[in-house]
Amino acid sequence: MLGVTTKNPFPGMNPFFEQRWRDAHSSLITYLRDALQERLPPDLVVGAEEEAVTIGAGGSAITYRPDVQVREPWTLKEPGATPIVAEPPPTQATEPIRVFVDEEIERWLEIREAAGRLITVLELLSPTNKLESADRDRYLRKRRSFLSGGANLVEIDLVRQGACLFPAAVRKVIERTGACYGICVARATQPGEHDVYPIRLRERLPAIRIPLRPTEAAVVLDLQPLIDQCHERGRYHLLNYRLALDPPLSPEDAAWADQVLCEHLLR
């Protein structure tokens, strides 16, 4: 019997990361950037890009974070609005419903030449990309703009929620292998070909090839140490490992995951 550990109890991806995906996403972007920076040619630089996206009120319930909070005015702790009096006759201001709209900070990595030319983009997909149709459409437009602009694109999907955003042929490969996760690499010089890395729950994450310029060898990026680092530094051993996963695992994988968590005294 193993003891309680702060280390990742799974050999590969921890499916419970999605409880704190915003934190995990931010950390992994930083770890990916640092790992790549050490391996790039001296005239290339990798940087984190971000944009704020307002999350609208969707119809589906998303448990990992609220899209929009709607509260009745009398439940707010701040004082009510001061009535506006007009002469004549006295008119009292209508009390509104306060709507708090959350903002999603989307982050990705770009490898550029020192002069600024974009070489490769790395996208780490989030549930918001995969769950809401408007967010999916916006992400797919961004993907098309990168590819049409002549950049390589590396898409890393370590989230089980939502629809698969990979091209149909890539989806079929991942489904055929029974993988929970996947990585798709599109090279600017070979637009009709994609490198696919299916990732099963019980497997170690792969070391993937990150394409650069046509005359250069790809950079090898080992993902498993970055996931393990994220788990340990984020104290993810404190996640709720009794919470049901959504979507649920297959019966076989669920039994295996339960055994792993029990061995590490997390259940």
Side-chain angles (χ1 to χ4, degrees):
M1 172 74 70
L2 300 175
V4 176
T5 178
T6 60
K7 298 185 182 301
N8 182 8
F10 293 93
M13 185 61 192
N14 183 338
F16 291 86
F17 265 36
E18 292 181 46
Q19 290 180 27
R20 292 184 57 193
W21 185 251
R22 294 180 71 186
D23 179 74
H25 189 278
S26 298
S27 299
L28 287 170
I29 286 289
T30 300
Y31 301 156
L32 285 165
R33 182 201 62 193
D34 293 346
L36 280 170
Q37 205 82 273
E38 297 174 355
R39 295 164 174 79
L40 290 179
D43 65 328
L44 293 182
V45 62
V46 57
E49 299 294 328
E50 66 178 37
E51 63 182 2
V53 179
T54 300
I55 306 300
S60 59
I62 303 174
T63 57
Y64 59 89
R65 65 189 294 248
D67 286 339
V68 173
Q69 300 177 35
V70 179
R71 309 180 192 178
E72 297 293 347
W74 52 83
T75 66
L76 300 173
K77 294 182 178 179
E78 63 262 36
T82 302
I84 301 173
V85 179
E87 294 285 347
T91 302
Q92 195 161 7
T94 303
E95 288 291 344
I97 294 176
R98 302 282 179 86
V99 178
F100 294 83
V101 181
D102 205 356
E103 281 193 337
E104 177 83 6
I105 304 298
E106 291 205 345
R107 296 178 175 89
W108 65 95
L109 295 175
E110 295 182 359
I111 300 175
R112 293 181 178 269
E113 293 178 339
R117 186 168 75 93
L118 181 61
I119 304 299
T120 302
V121 175
L122 281 84
E123 286 276 7
L124 183 60
L125 299 182
S126 290
T128 49
N129 301 134
K130 302 176 62 180
L131 285 166
E132 296 289 343
S133 59
D135 292 315
R136 285 198 300 271
D137 292 343
R138 180 174 45 78
Y139 174 78
L140 294 174
R141 288 195 299 270
K142 186 168 70 166
R143 170 205 274 167
R144 287 193 294 270
S145 71
F146 286 139
L147 294 174
S148 63
N152 306 304
L153 179 60
V154 180
E155 296 174 286
I156 302 173
D157 186 359
L158 300 178
V159 173
R160 295 175 58 249
Q161 296 182 60
C164 182
L165 299 184
F166 295 146
V170 176
R171 288 200 303 269
K172 290 179 181 179
V173 171
I174 292 175
E175 291 168 0
R176 187 169 64 242
T177 59
C180 291
Y181 310 104
I183 299 169
C184 180
V185 180
R187 287 178 169 79
T189 56
Q190 298 168 301
E193 297 180 12
H194 295 78
D195 292 345
V196 183
Y197 298 86
I199 305 170
R200 299 177 185 86
L201 180 65
R202 309 187 197 191
E203 296 177 344
R204 183 186 191 278
L205 270 68
I208 63 175
R209 295 183 180 89
I210 306 297
L212 301 176
R213 290 167 292 203
T215 58
E216 293 172 326
V219 170
V220 177
L221 179 64
D222 192 357
L223 294 177
Q224 190 62 56
L226 308 183
I227 291 293
D228 294 341
Q229 182 181 3
C230 184
H231 185 283
E232 196 160 358
R233 291 189 178 180
R235 299 186 178 183
Y236 288 177
H237 63 288
L238 300 177
L239 295 174
N240 184 357
Y241 285 99
R242 296 185 181 276
L243 190 67
L245 291 172
D246 182 21
L249 298 172
S250 68
E252 296 81 8
D253 280 344
W256 172 81
D258 183 65
Q259 179 182 354
V260 168
L261 294 172
C262 288
E263 288 175 352
H264 289 87
L265 305 183
L266 295 171
R267 279 190 176 173

